[in-house]
Structures are given as C-alpha cells and as structure tokens.
Amino acid sequence: MSVPEPDPSQESKIKTIEELHEYLYKGLQLEHATLPPYLTALYSLQPGRNADAWHVIRVVAVEEMLHLTLVANVLNAVGGTPDLTKSGFVPDYPTYLPCGPDYFQVHLLPFSPDALDTFLKIEKPAQAPDEESRLVPVDWAALGLTSDGAAPPSEKMAEFEQSGTILGLVPGEPTQRFLSIGEFYEEIMRGINYLEDQARTAGTTIFTGDPARQVTPEYFYSGGGDVIEVTGRDSAVAALTLVAEQGEGLHGGIYDSQDEIAHYYRFQQLEKGKFYQKGDEPGAPSGPDLHVDWTAVYPVKPDVKLADLEGDPEIHTAAKEFNQSYAAFLRNINLAYNGRPDLLLKAVWEMFRIRDTMNRLIRNPLSGESGLNAGPTFEI
Amino acid sequence: MTSYDDADPVIFPAGAATQTSAAQAASEEWDAVIVGGGMAGSIVAEQLSQSGHKVLIVEAGPGKDLDLAEYESYLSRFYGAVVKDNQSPYPFNPNARMPRSTDTMPVGPDTPRDDFYLVQEDKYCSDTTFTRVLGGTSMHWEGKALRMLPEDFDLRTKYGQGLNWPLSYDDLEPYYRQAEAELGVSAEVEDQAYLGMHFPEGYVFPMHRMPPSYLDQTVARGVDGMRVNLADDDYTLRVRSFPQARNGVPNAAYDGGKGFVPVGAVSTSQVEEGERCQGNTNCVPICPVQAKYHAGKTLTKALSRGNVTIVTQAVASKVEIDEQDRRVTGITIKNYHSLDSESYDTYTVKGTVYVLCAHAIENARLMLASDMQRMSRSKLIGCNLMDHAYLLSWGLLPEPAGTMRGTSCTSGITDLRGGRFRGTQAGFGVDIHNDGWGWATGSPYTDLVELVDKQGLNGKELRRTLGNRISRQLLLAFMIDLLPERSNTVTVDERYKDALGNLKPVVSLKIPPYTMRGAAYARKLASDIFKRLGAEEMTAYDKDRYSAVEHDGQWYNIVGGNHLAGTHIMGTDPTTSVVDHTQQSWDHDNLYLVGPGSLPSIGTSNISLTMAALAYRSSTHIVRYLRAAKAPATVRG
C-alpha cells in the first residue's frame, strides 16, 4: 500500500525540529500505553485453554514493541533522544485514549468482552473525512477532568500530561487532539516533509542522527513485521506508515504493506470467531473458525493498585517487585534505543521475568475480594 | 477420543487444504512420489515444486493439520509426559511405530509383540531412535549442523580405514551452503574453518553464532590450550562453538549484504511465533517456539506452491517393481483409518519417479520387505548401518556453572575430529551439555528422588541442595566415529510384524574395536579434563546394561546418537554400493534413495546438514531425470 504524496496545500503544524521531537516522544508514549492492558489480558488466559486468543493478543503485543522501536528509530534519525524513563511515560491506569470523536477509558482488565471492546477502540481505524475534522477539541467535562467543561488551567494541564492521565493531546495545543492515532502519525509525516524540504533548501538535512543508534533487523525480528532502519525521509515515512497501518489499518486495509493483518482486524477475529483470509471484506472474516473460551481466564481485579494489595503482604511484595522489574525493563529498552541496540537481546529473557512475575500475581486470589485475583499495577 | 478422531465427515480440518485422501492420490499420476515427509523428503518436494512438477508425499504419521495447533498439542503432550524422551511429544501410533530409547532390550520371538519396534536380538542393544510424524526426526533433532571434514570423504585413501565417498568436500560445498540457508544456520566462519574445512571467499553463515553458555566458558577456562599427543602428533584443544540450525542474530553481511530473514513458526492462520532462540534447554525433543529448524518450515514453502500434495496416515508397505525392466511401477500404501484402529485400506500410488526419503532404517526396511535385495547387485541393502557411538562422562564442578541455561548444547571440543591417529582409532567430537546429566542419569528427576528418599531433605534445604547440585553438573558427550561394517545391519524377519502387518526392522549393531579404541581414549581424556576443572568424577558404567561394551578388560556404556546412516550407501560401482553419487538406485532406473542411508561414512558430524546438502544435490538430478522422461518423444519422419 502506498502512502499518498504529501499535498503542499496541507500545512504542517510542526514547524521546528523540537516540535517534531515532542510529537515523536508522544508517539512512543502512545505505543507503549497499550502494552500494560494487552499484557494483563494475555497473561490472564489460563494456560493451554485459549490458544487462538493467546496468539492473537501475543502477536499484537509483539508488534506494539515493534512500533515502539520504529518510532524510536525515527526519533533517533532526526537527532532526538528517546526517553522511556520520564515520569508519566507509563500511564496511570485507567487512562484516557482518543478514539474517533471521543476519549475513552483504558483499564487494566482480564481477558473479557469488555477488554476486547477496549482493544477494538484502541485500534479502531479512523481517517478524517476532510482537513477541518482532523483535529477535535477535548471535551473536558465528559472526561470528568474539569467541572465546567472549560480547559483546565495550564499548570493543571501540565499535571495531567505529566501523570499520563490523558494521552494524545496535540503538542503545543493541549486543548486539541487528533481524530485518531493514524491522523497523529499523518501529522508527523507532514512535519518531516516540511522540515526536510526547508533543510534541503538550506543545503542540509534533518536526518542528522547517529546511524549507530538505529535498531536494525539483527536485534529485533518476529513473525510480525520487520524493523526498518531509518536513514532519511523515505525510510522514516515507511516506518511511520507501517506503524499506522499495522495498528489501525490506516487507509482501510485489513492487510498492511508487509502483509500483516492490522491489529483492529486481528482483534475483530476474536469477536467474530473467525480468522480473516485474503480477499475478505472488513467486518466479514471468512477463514477458519477461531475458538474463544471466555471462562478460561483468571479473574484479575480491574485496575488493581498497590494500595489494594496491602491485606496480602506477600502479594504486595510481589507486585512491588513486578513494578521494579518492569521499570528496569523500560530502562534497558531505553538504553537500547540510546545507542545500545544489542541490549534488546537481553530483553528476551527480561520478558520472561515479566511474564513470570505477572503470573505470580494473576494466579493468586486476593483475600477479602470474593473471587478476584491480584494483578500487575504498573505503578512505575 | 483423541484429537485425531475421524468421526468428523470432513476428511481434513481447515488449513490443510493441500492434503488429499489416499483414494484420490491413487487415482492420479504424479511426476514424483516421495515416501516420507521429513527433512530430505521436504527438501526434494520443495525443489521439485520449484521446477513445476506435480509431487505426492506419502507420510506414515498423522500430520493432519500443518498448523500451530498441532505443534502445540505436541508441546502440551511433552510438558505432561513423565518420561521426557525423544518421542514424548508425539502421539503413540500403533500403525507407524517409533523406536523409543525406553524400550531398548534384546528381543526374541517370545517377547510380547507390542513392547518394541526396533527388534534387536543381540546382547548389545542400541537405544537409538527416529521419529515417524510429519517432519520426521527433524521434529526432535538437536539442531547441530556441522559439516563433514574434507578428510571424511576419503578416509580409505588417507588412513586406510572405512570407505571413500564418490564425492569430495568441494563437490558438496555449494550444497552445504544451500542447506545452511534453508536450515538457517547460526555460526561464524572463523570458528568453523578448522581441520581443512573451507568456505568461499567472503562467505558468512545466515546468522551469527549462538552465544557460548556460561558453562562453555567455565569449561573453556580449563580446556583451552590443553595439549594432547596422539599417534605422535600434538594437538592443542580449545572449546569451539557449534553451528546450529536455530534462529540467532541474522548476519547483515549474508548474501553479499542482503542479510538473512529467519523463518519463524509454521502456521496456517496468522499467529506468528518462533522468533529467536530463547534458550529453553529442551531443544530435544521439541523447541517451544520453533526457533529451531524443522522440516515443516520447508514443507510449508513446498505446499504453498500448490503442486505438492500430502497423503497422511499412509504407511508405505511395498515398492512395486516390474520384473522385466526393473522399473518401479508404484508404491503400495496402507492407509489406516485412525490412530486407535488397525483397520486400513490399501492403495497403490504411481509416479514417473520415486524417491524414498524415509530415513536409513525405514528405507532399508521397506526395500527389504519388498524383496528388493533379490534384484540388488551389491546385496548391500540394509548393510553398513551406522550411528555415532556416544560415550558419556559426567562430573560435578566445584562451583555452580549455570547448567540448565541456554540451548541443549552450544559448544564443544572438535580438535580430535580428524588427524593421522584415525589410521588406528576413531576420531570424536565432544559436546558440552548445557542440560546437565539428564542424558546419563535421568537428572534432574533422579537427583530429586535421591535427595528426598535417600538424604531425607525437604523444604528450603532441598531446594538449595538441588539447585546447587544441578548447576554444577557437567556432562561431556563424546560422539565417536563408527565406520561402515557390512555386518551391522537392518533386516526384516517374518516373525516380527507391526499392527498393519508390516515387517518391523531387525537391527544388529556391534561396536567395532576401532571405535572402542576411540572410546577408551575419550574416557581418559574426560578424566583429564575433569581434573583440570577440579571436577569430581561421577562417571559410572554398568556392565549389566544393554549398552555395555567390553574393551581391553574395561566395560563402557555406548549409547546411540540417533544419527542413523549407511543402509544404502553410495559409491562408484553397482556391485559395492546401492546408489550412485546422485542417490539414484543402481538397480532401478526411476528410483532415488535420498537420505542418510546413502552416506558411505559419517565421520564426526551430526548427519542432518550433510543429508540436506545431498538432498539438494540429488534434487537437481531428479529434475533433470523428470525433464528427460517427460520430454515429448521425437518422431522420425
């Protein structure tokens, strides 16, 4: 699938390299924000009983890691510095993510129709019908963040942004947001084109990053798409297009340019009980049956917090240990994105530790919670 | 009810559209009929499909569904198995039995008929195995992918031992590279260029080497630089990494800088898995994430072209031959209805060319059961059975060395694979086993039983002692060359039949003194290495085991390597070999015997890579044969 040629009449909101860096940081934050809910649902599945659901969620989670890596490659290529350790990088769940004209809440839930509904909202394709509707004002009252619906004062706004309470705001215009994540990436691509054109006129380029900071296919590969090394405009656009297509099926395709099924359609298969196959129309998968057992799931307490676990000291300790190992994982990934791509190899076994420590929580009932189990709190 | 129950009126489940019924297969004419969907069969099928030929694969195992669900059923069977042997992931199938190392015992006519598959009447019995499911033994192999040494190809000329090959290392070299690409081998050229092995200028393996384990590094500290003298030559030993057919880090310099794209899991729906090796340590009998190559990866490519079809649950029971022109006219198959039933239908499938890829023992068994020795000029079908003779040595290191971390085996000592000493005694390679003493003693289960039952430990003390003991375990496995001996055989015997009435293989394998001289030397070397490492010697051989062999007044246990070969060896003369250098039968024009059975010697390399290289080489000859056979006849005017 080809990306439409940039239309010179579509003006870029991104005017400086700093703004581009800020947009890309927000991209990293958005890509990561989906991981805790996906991982919580994935590991809530009882082993061996939901293989189809397991594989669908797993491959999406792996591809989110790929997206994170692709965005980091773009940021590095344009001379930025990825930082996954900033306070507020990991959202405070439930958090708000944009979907179409509305924000919706993303909870940490066990695998369930509700969780699936959230996943579909996260990945829902939405392309603005025209230039004017790409941006929508944030409805503060609906979010419950201000009582009168007016935008919060700037210091309050900064607090929301820093705590990861609300994601996807337009950098520099925090009362607006993009209609979809796809439109957000579209804006970044416009910015890259605009800035690169400017730079070229001046005889330079914005792709000034050290090539050694790129994560190359040696360090990251999976069944779900390949890493793209970003060295210039074409590869940057290719990387961002892959992120957008693979997520929401931007431009309406079930399959992306690397022949992977977009996440929205992957998840929809769980709802429909059928796999997609080539030639299918969106919404009507016609491949083999897909089996989901909604009961073969550990009953994880939604949005569990450390404070909820104080009645069970051993679980409380395990949850704190989980948060520490997740923070360490992010620190190492961050080092990998800052010139040490070989550290991604180490991340393989760190993922095992994350899985095992999550299992310790998810498979343990909480006392006084009548049938609910513990879960990871992701309070980083 | 098993998951293979046939009650469903749909013959094959969704996702297996390229399978066909035996009746359908028998009603068509195929360009090639391939017996066996293992590594060799899959490579030949894939190569023939590339040249547009219509191929039928006859597979004895169920293999009903080529997707991840079946693979995962293997995994869950393995996880639930009490005895985790090579066959533990695969369903018990009375109609296509597999030898199990746990079944090893001498068998007489009065032995209960269902307790064994490999019939061994001698006192010494090999515990060697092979797997009969779609994918063959590649489903349980370890994934080591060593090339043979140049000197292995002309042992007779060089050292007056064994047999020469009709091919040289250089003849096979391009095909080794082709096989390394297909299997996705992880290695570095600088590690592998030893004892004459050479590579074209600029060659790199598809992926970088697997990192050496901490245990490898511990052993290397004691071994590197160790000098030994053998037959008046000095050798300096070092720990060296093994080439492995498992996904590591792709080498960006591969293929002139194009890089290499690793193959993940085989699946018919989009549920990707199987990226890089995660060091799960249970490479044998099954990799949980398909990081390790298995024939299904090649088979999937072949099937996706649309001109390759599989018929499963079809045990080849007879090669039909025209007595006049000695051409093969068909393969008779017994198509059993389910794993639980002995009822079957018989069909004959027909092609222009026939390719037997059922591994050394089954190829020989099928040919002998088809009375083909009568027409053989060499009378060597089933003779020269080879395997690697494995001698295990185990010791307890003074400090924890991280045993049980990493893949089964990442490094070893390869300096004594070749040299002039091979004039008098066998060469060997040494594997450092990352999975502890399991192969030798049944650890960690036996350790647990001992600590609880004999030492009365429990709780924290038990956990601490068990962890400490296992992480100090060092197992050195010496893989010793076993030369072709005419008297080491696979035969058939009317007294031994399986559930479908097929004759079982009768194996007679004796370990010759040449190999045992290598074993005796290996035993001493192991003790020296243990001493250098400060390890406590724990090796103990039992003369009452079926694996016991006496040499020079000492008893050793020699276990099988599952590297079966030699039962239809290749050569330059129809009176002293069964196939020519293309693996075409000397006696039957339209028959190829492709697989380890054709190897005239196995040296000290695991056989799969060489077998795969030969399969590529033969495929080009089979394509040529088919082209000639199908060319329109010229009518003279």
Side-chain angles (χ1 to χ4, degrees), chain A residues 157-207:
Chain A
M157 187 82 80
E159 194 188 308
F160 288 148
E161 286 211 80
Q162 200 173 53
S163 67
T165 305
I166 181 160
L167 298 177
L169 297 175
V170 179
E173 292 175 60
T175 60
Q176 304 248 43
R177 61 174 190 75
F178 288 95
L179 184 70
S180 68
I181 297 174
E183 293 293 356
F184 173 76
Y185 283 115
E186 170 69 25
E187 193 61 49
I188 296 179
M189 287 188 259
R190 286 184 191 184
I192 287 173
N193 279 320
Y194 170 79
L195 292 173
E196 180 65 2
D197 284 345
Q198 297 267 307
R200 284 187 188 180
T201 311
T204 60
T205 177
I206 58 166
F207 294 94

Side-chain angles (χ1 to χ4, degrees), chain A residues 55 58 218 221 269 345 352, chain B residues 72 248 250 270 275-276 278:
Chain A
H55 285 296
R58 181 191 171 281
E218 296 107 284
Y221 62 87
Q269 298 173 132
L345 302 180
F352 282 132
Chain B
E72 290 185 341
Q270 2 76 29
E275 44 271 19
R276 76 183 69 230
Q278 303 167 345

Side-chain angles (χ1 to χ4, degrees), chain B residues 163-492:
Chain B
L163 296 170
N164 284 345
W165 280 51
L167 297 168
S168 68
Y169 175 90
D170 289 312
D171 291 329
L172 207 51
E173 204 284 330
Y175 300 101
Y176 267 137
R177 276 181 275 142
Q178 210 173 348
E180 281 157 359
E182 183 64 25
L183 273 55
V185 176
S186 296
E188 306 299 337
V189 164
E190 62 261 35
D191 287 341
Q192 304 307 324
Y194 61 92
L195 291 170
M197 271 190 286
H198 52 269
F199 304 82
E201 182 76 29
Y203 179 67
V204 299
F205 283 88
M207 290 183 261
H208 290 292
R209 74 174 147 237
M210 290 281 129
S213 67
Y214 184 70
L215 180 65
D216 293 338
Q217 296 169 44
T218 304
V219 176
R221 276 198 294 277
V223 167
D224 283 0
M226 181 176 175
R227 293 173 74 83
V228 296
N229 185 283
L230 241 176
D232 297 331
D233 288 329
D234 281 325
Y235 297 86
T236 305
L237 307 186
R238 65 168 268 213
V239 170
R240 191 187 294 270
S241 124
F242 284 125
Q244 313 224 12
R246 68 187 82 244
N247 290 340
V249 175
N251 193 329
Y254 183 73
D255 195 12
K258 290 191 198 125
F260 179 81
V261 180
V263 180
V266 173
S267 165
T268 49
S269 47
Q270 2 76 29
V271 278
E272 291 83 357
E273 190 166 26
E275 44 271 19
R276 76 183 69 230
C277 170
Q278 303 167 345
N280 281 287
T281 326
N282 56 274
C283 319
V284 180
I286 189 163
C287 171
V289 295
Q290 298 194 48
K292 184 183 69 174
Y293 171 84
H294 60 79
K297 297 191 181 189
T298 303
L299 209 46
T300 304
K301 276 195 286 182
L303 292 173
S304 68
R305 293 215 179 86
N307 50 355
V308 177
T309 298
I310 301 182
V311 55
T312 55
Q313 300 192 170
V315 184
S317 65
K318 192 170 180 224
V319 181
E320 306 287 347
I321 292 165
D322 181 322
E323 296 274 339
Q324 296 305 311
D325 67 6
R326 303 196 158 207
R327 288 172 66 82
V328 178
T329 58
I331 304 282
T332 295
I333 55 175
K334 290 178 176 171
N335 180 218
Y336 55 91
H337 297 164
S338 77
L339 293 193
D340 306 326
S341 152
E342 291 175 3
S343 59
Y344 63 87
D345 298 309
T346 306
Y347 299 94
T348 301
V349 291
K350 290 178 178 297
T352 304
V353 72
Y354 297 85
V355 193
L356 303 190
C357 299
H359 208 273
I361 287 186
E362 289 298 310
N363 266 5
R365 186 199 67 75
L366 174 62
M367 289 192 284
L368 294 167
S370 308
D371 194 25
M372 287 167 69
Q373 194 77 295
R374 187 165 52 82
M375 289 182 233
S376 160
R377 281 172 276 175
S378 67
K379 306 292 179 213
L380 285 178
I381 298 171
C383 300
N384 296 308
L385 175 66
M386 286 174 274
D387 187 4
H388 283 116
Y390 263 95
L391 183 82
L392 309 181
S393 287
W394 55 107
L396 201 59
L397 290 161
E399 300 287 339
T403 307
M404 291 289 176
R405 290 188 187 176
T407 58
S408 296
C409 176
T410 33
S411 304
I413 305 162
T414 55
D415 306 287
L416 299 175
R417 287 182 62 194
R420 288 196 300 175
F421 67 88
R422 293 176 86 186
T424 50
Q425 74 178 51
F428 54 76
V430 189
D431 303 345
I432 299 165
H433 264 259
N434 290 326
D435 50 356
W437 297 346
W439 192 3
T441 68
S443 170
Y445 312 102
T446 46
D447 296 304
L448 180 65
V449 168
E450 189 198 318
L451 294 178
V452 173
D453 286 1
K454 292 194 183 151
Q455 299 193 28
L457 299 184
N458 58 37
K460 274 195 177 145
E461 181 65 4
L462 174 63
R463 283 203 296 278
R464 196 188 57 77
T465 311
L466 191 64
N468 179 283
R469 175 149 149 170
I470 290 169
S471 64
R472 291 162 59 205
Q473 291 180 350
L474 172 62
L475 177 77
L476 298 178
F478 291 80
M479 181 170 99
I480 308 168
D481 192 7
L482 181 65
L483 297 175
E485 301 262 341
R486 189 178 178 134
S487 57
N488 281 340
T489 56
V490 176
T491 53
V492 290

